[in-house]
Amino acid sequence: MSEVVTYNREGAIGVITVNYPPVNALGHAVRSGLVAALEQGQKDADAKVLLLVCEGRTFIAGADIREFGKPMQEPSLPSVINQYENSDKPVVAAIHGTALGGGLETALGCHYRVALSSAKVGLPEVKLGLLPGAGGTQRLPRLAGARKALEMITSGEFVGAKEALALGIVDAVDDGSDIRAVGLAYARKVAEEGRPVRRVRDLTDKLEADRGSDVFVQFRAGLEKKARGLFSPFKCVDAVEAAFSLPFEEGMKRERELFMECMESPQRGGLVHSFFAEREASKVKGLSKDTPVRDVNSVGIIGAGTMGGGIAMNFANVGIPVTIVEVKQEALDKGLGIIRKNYENSAKKGRISQQQVEERMALITGSLTYDDFRDVDLVIEAVFENMAIKKEIFGKLDAVCKPGAILASNTSTLDIDEIASATKRPEDVVGMHFFSPANVMKLLENVRGSKTSDEVKATVMAVAKRIKKVGVMVGNCHGFVGNRMLHKRGGEAMSLVNEGATPQQVDKVLTDLGYPMGQFAMSDLAGIDVGYRIREERRNAGEAVEPSWMDKLAEQNRLGQKTMAGVYRYEEGSRAPIPDPEVDQIIADFRKEQGITPREITDQEILERCMYVMINEGAKILEEGIADRALDIDVVWIYGYGFPAYRGGPMFWADQIGLENILGTVEQFYDDLGGEQWKPSALLQKLVSEGRTFGDL
Ligand code: T1G
């Protein structure tokens, strides 16, 4: 008998129980255990109805992703599910937690499904670069119809039990909490009512209703925009369409063919890496699981500007009261007004109710005095980037905040240790770097100072999870991980334009790679004046700062989207960047001034210079221990800077290209272009000499 799947009988019900923590994934042991238990149930003459139920926190959450790419061991999941469907005794699936992917497909292979009202179901394979490969694309449309099946399968989003009942995906929903008891009660009802086996494969009314519909054309058109660059969403549509054009068995064959195409696509590797990297990043190296975490039940924020307001919303969204302190009432009113507007926009879009708008606004209090921070558990400073001002603020916080309060800075570049030196409790000081818009962007780059305590590190990582952010812990250096690498990419992008490329050529290479936005369109969004002010401050401090054609833009008040003109120009009501010949002229004049003769630059050179400079810097960041693992860097770039998850992140992408190729090109650029940014990383050289990858670290 299998360790992970057991069979026992309770009265007339044969109970098949899966117990394979953490999420009862359909690894080989579970698949073979399911078959053995089914056979036992078939042979058990006293068992009239069979019940499939899971121990632990959830029903089966899918195939075992860790087995992907490894040789497939029999029985395959489709054959397991076919055996359940072909059972001549009714099989009931009892769902709690999340029935996902192969887990939902297994339940769809059973004859009846009952779920707790707290349960969710979904086919999220598309998020892993795949499609449901065990009958989901053939059985789900037979229950839910074409449109809903396409929505669920191309988005990968979960649906709640009540909606699943309305769609016919489950047959009953129960408000109870004991899934075994709920399952047994439902199975007994099936037995008492003598209900027959009911195979989803045989259901055709939903197929008839949608056969020949143009819903497939509509979905493909919609995906052109929504799933730009992605492979598997389009295969999902092909597979579901097969359910409406082919008999069941042939539809299953077509699904398998399309599934294998996705399995072989490099995007699957990138998305599976992103899945696990996101989860691994939450486990900070050297921080044991039992490091105490402090309570965070109240938060203070300094600054009601764009960042402060967005950060406050994250905490109010999960029910944590926030006090925002500003210097002037006017600034406070403006900040609170923008928060309310953002919430009301979400209510207009139906994402939250008006009551939730009021509940969340009620959790956010404005103030003009630091005294209101004396009892808070965590304070986050979100004022503009000036060290002197930040140190003054932390000195004040040190004086007013209670012992044990965590003092955090949302700085995106400045030295956490220097900020902490303004307090007598540097062990309680940490960086919490949110990304704009802070209530939307998933990444929270937590920055440890040299004195930050383990407890504070563990607490801010727990806070990240609680406010539904993807938290990463990185070390303290200028620009931390994300901005430090972005700065290098920005430098190469500027040089490429100085040497002859156009801003739109550079941006197209980056958007073709899969970024949502190019380097220069991003500068226009952030504001050309931001970089200009920093360069001017450095020049006024006597630093030698290279001249830049961007300075000319700022001096002509071309500040980007906010002035409808920057590197690109913008039309009223649109954020689409339009190339502007005036800028081409500014760049041409700048080159003349600098004595630069422009040259033809290929897209490949742009790609290599913009991406390999980042990878070389990423390797230096790993060398210095600013990032503990290459996957931390990948997660920062995927969730903070829009690097396409289907490429797995810049370091994973580098491993796919081959570090030998990367190093060869970096060394060539070092010879040709010079500059610290192209000095090959020692770690990169070491890995190449040892034939290893970033993934091996
Ligand atoms: N396989 C292996 N490990 C898994 C797993 C899976 N399917 N799902 C989760 N884990 C691990 C995860 O790595 C973590 O491990 C722990 O479980 C807890 O996860 C043929 C081919 C279920 C909603 O895509 O969405 O079926 O870090 O931290 O926030 O059609 O995990 O503790 O060592 O995420 O409570 C389709 C993926 C597979 C679901 C729980 N299924 N999982 O979220 O915990 S493809 C999925 C999730 C498929 C068939 C195809 C979430 C969750 P560790 P967690 P959580």
Side-chain angles (χ1 to χ4, degrees):
M1 172 42 65
S2 148
E3 298 306 305
V4 293
V5 184
T6 54
Y7 176 82
N8 74 303
R9 186 158 47 68
E10 305 217 9
I13 312 300
V15 185
I16 297 168
T17 307
V18 181
N19 187 9
Y20 183 50
V23 293
N24 294 312
L26 288 152
H28 176 245
V30 172
R31 296 195 308 274
S32 33
L34 282 169
V35 171
L38 178 68
E39 284 161 2
Q40 247 192 302
Q42 300 291 19
K43 288 194 204 107
D44 182 348
D46 298 326
K48 302 293 176 252
V49 169
L50 303 178
L51 172 68
L52 174 59
V53 67
C54 295
E55 294 283 344
R57 63 178 163 162
T58 180
F59 188 77
I60 301 166
D64 192 333
I65 304 172
R66 294 179 196 281
E67 290 186 351
F68 289 176
K70 298 187 182 130
M72 220 305 284
Q73 290 177 283
E74 291 298 333
S76 73
L77 185 56
S79 79
V80 173
I81 295 174
N82 281 348
Q83 292 176 57
Y84 272 71
E85 189 167 55
N86 293 338
S87 159
D88 52 18
K89 294 180 180 181
V91 185
V92 173
I95 298 171
H96 74 298
T98 51
L100 304 177
L104 179 57
E105 291 173 300
T106 304
L108 296 179
C110 299
H111 307 120
Y112 299 96
R113 286 154 291 280
V114 58
L116 297 185
S117 50
S118 57
K120 291 191 171 76
V121 302
L123 294 173
E125 286 85 346
V126 72
K127 294 184 178 174
L128 297 169
L130 294 169
L131 55 82
T137 67
Q138 305 304 302
R139 291 192 174 92
L140 184 65
R142 282 171 161 77
L143 290 170
R147 182 169 297 283
K148 198 61 202 178
L150 283 167
E151 269 172 28
M152 286 178 67
I153 293 173
T154 58
S155 71
E157 296 309 319
F158 308 167
V159 296
K162 294 218 167 70
E163 188 185 352
L165 178 66
L167 290 166
I169 298 172
V170 301
D171 304 293
V173 169
D174 193 294
D175 292 332
S177 58
D178 176 345
I179 188 58
R180 198 178 182 83
V182 166
L184 279 168
Y186 191 83
R188 287 196 190 101
K189 223 166 117 211
V190 170
E192 284 148 17
E193 294 168 9
R195 286 201 223 161
V197 296
R198 186 189 59 166
R199 298 186 173 102
V200 176
R201 70 164 64 197
D202 300 333
L203 304 177
T204 56
D205 54 350
K206 290 279 171 70
L207 297 183
E208 300 314 328
D210 290 331
R211 206 181 295 283
S213 128
D214 65 354
V215 68
F216 303 104
V217 178
Q218 289 169 18
F219 262 81
R220 286 194 183 91
L223 289 172
E224 288 302 337
K225 222 153 139 251
K226 268 192 299 187
R228 188 175 65 85
L230 288 168
F231 181 75
S232 73
F234 298 90
K235 301 296 170 187
C236 289
V237 180
D238 297 349
V240 174
E241 191 171 28
F244 292 80
S245 55
L246 300 170
F248 183 78
E249 286 307 337
E250 283 170 53
M252 286 294 283
K253 269 206 215 87
R254 184 76 188 117
E255 176 193 88
R256 180 55 36 174
E257 286 161 8
L258 293 160
F259 177 79
M260 291 318 291
E261 284 180 39
C262 294
M263 200 49 123
E264 275 129 34
S265 149
Q267 296 195 0
R268 187 265 298 171
L271 287 163
V272 168
H273 170 76
S274 308
F275 175 87
F276 284 119
E278 178 191 334
R279 283 152 183 80
E280 283 309 302
S282 68
K283 302 164 198 159
V284 177
K285 212 168 163 189
L287 206 59
S288 82
K289 268 211 185 106
D290 358 303
T291 305
V293 167
R294 295 183 194 166
D295 292 339
V296 175
N297 299 321
S298 59
V299 171
I301 293 177
I302 302 159
T306 314
M307 291 308 291
I311 295 169
M313 292 172 74
N314 290 308
F315 291 94
N317 293 353
V318 295
I320 299 174
V322 183
T323 304
I324 303 185
V325 165
E326 255 295 353
V327 277
K328 290 204 186 76
Q329 189 62 43
E330 192 201 330
L332 194 54
D333 296 344
K334 183 167 173 241
L336 293 173
I338 291 171
I339 295 173
R340 173 171 283 281
K341 196 158 143 275
N342 284 337
Y343 276 136
E344 273 162 5
N345 282 345
S346 300
K348 271 200 214 102
K349 293 182 188 137
R351 292 201 195 115
I352 59 173
S353 66
Q354 192 53 39
Q355 187 196 342
Q356 286 172 308
V357 172
E358 300 314 326
E359 284 164 2
R360 293 175 189 192
M361 284 309 296
L363 285 168
I364 301 175
T365 313
S367 162
L368 297 175
T369 168
Y370 278 51
D371 291 349
D372 288 338
F373 286 155
R374 66 185 166 282
D375 295 326
V376 297
D377 299 318
L378 164 67
V379 182
I380 304 174
E381 161 274 313
V383 304
F384 66 90
E385 295 286 70
N386 178 295
M387 183 54 86
I389 292 175
K390 290 187 190 284
K391 289 175 82 171
E392 189 199 330
I393 288 171
F394 275 74
K396 281 193 207 160
L397 291 175
D398 194 21
V400 73
C401 292
K402 67 180 180 182
I406 294 176
L407 311 181
S409 171
N410 178 54
T411 178
S412 59
T413 55
L414 299 178
D415 184 342
I416 298 296
D417 287 335
E418 191 175 346
I419 292 173
S421 69
T423 75
K424 293 184 230 32
R425 46 175 135 175
E427 68 281 3
D428 292 332
V429 176
V430 68
M432 292 180 80
H433 178 206
F434 289 80
F435 288 73
S436 181
N439 56 314
V440 177
M441 292 298 284
K442 290 276 284 179
L443 183 69
L444 176 50
E445 190 180 33
N446 286 325
V447 185
R448 58 175 184 264
S450 57
K451 298 202 176 83
T452 305
S453 71
D454 283 357
E455 219 175 86
V456 169
K457 291 180 212 165
T459 304
V460 291
M461 290 303 283
V463 166
K465 207 162 202 167
R466 202 155 149 219
I467 61 175
K468 304 191 176 19
K469 296 293 184 192
V470 175
V472 180
M473 180 63 72
V474 302
N476 180 35
C477 67
H478 190 73
F480 317 131
V481 168
N483 281 346
R484 178 171 160 180
M485 293 166 72
L486 180 68
H487 188 64
K488 299 298 179 201
R489 188 186 86 179
E492 282 309 303
M494 284 301 292
S495 304
L496 284 157
V497 172
N498 293 351
E499 294 164 34
T502 64
Q504 51 270 34
Q505 184 191 6
V506 173
D507 280 4
K508 185 166 180 320
V509 168
L510 294 175
T511 51
D512 286 355
L513 184 67
Y515 282 104
M517 190 177 268
Q519 181 73 31
F520 296 103
M522 205 167 73
S523 311
D524 275 354
L525 178 67
I528 304 292
D529 50 328
V530 177
Y532 178 67
R533 227 195 354 262
I534 293 170
R535 286 191 295 277
E536 287 296 281
E537 262 178 29
R538 288 172 56 205
R539 286 182 185 123
N540 298 341
E543 252 185 77
V545 178
E546 297 233 335
S548 161
W549 50 269
M550 285 270 205
D551 296 339
K552 311 248 184 259
L553 299 186
E555 284 145 13
Q556 294 177 20
N557 200 37
R558 295 184 67 105
L559 305 182
Q561 285 191 12
K562 57 188 164 193
T563 57
M564 307 295 280
V567 177
Y568 299 97
R569 67 179 179 79
Y570 300 83
E571 269 159 10
E572 200 57 49
S574 160
R575 290 172 181 273
I578 304 163
D580 189 338
E582 277 183 36
V583 174
D584 298 339
Q585 193 52 52
I586 290 170
I587 295 170
D589 297 346
F590 173 81
R591 289 179 186 140
K592 211 181 261 142
E593 254 173 47
Q594 302 298 315
I596 301 169
T597 310
R599 63 181 175 86
E600 202 56 43
I601 296 186
T602 64
D603 288 357
Q604 184 59 24
E605 179 181 349
I606 292 171
L607 179 75
E608 290 173 353
R609 283 177 62 178
C610 286
M611 290 306 301
Y612 293 11
V613 76
M614 280 177 52
I615 292 160
N616 193 38
E617 195 64 24
K620 292 174 183 173
I621 284 172
L622 286 167
E623 260 169 56
E624 296 161 25
I626 298 294
D628 292 329
R629 301 153 295 191
L631 64 86
D632 293 316
I633 298 177
D634 288 335
V635 170
V636 163
W637 272 82
I638 290 169
Y639 290 99
Y641 297 83
F643 188 91
Y646 64 81
R647 295 189 192 280
M651 308 313 275
F652 180 85
W653 182 71
D655 281 347
Q656 308 310 303
I657 291 172
L659 298 189
E660 198 164 351
N661 304 329
I662 304 257
L663 179 59
T665 309
V666 167
E667 286 169 341
Q668 189 62 52
F669 284 143
Y670 191 42
D671 294 346
D672 300 348
L673 306 167
E676 186 50 33
Q677 76 276 22
W678 287 117
K679 186 168 185 313
S681 139
L683 174 67
L684 185 55
Q685 292 170 320
K686 183 169 182 296
L687 290 172
V688 170
S689 66
E690 295 166 359
R692 294 170 63 216
T693 68
F694 288 127
D696 296 331
L697 291 172

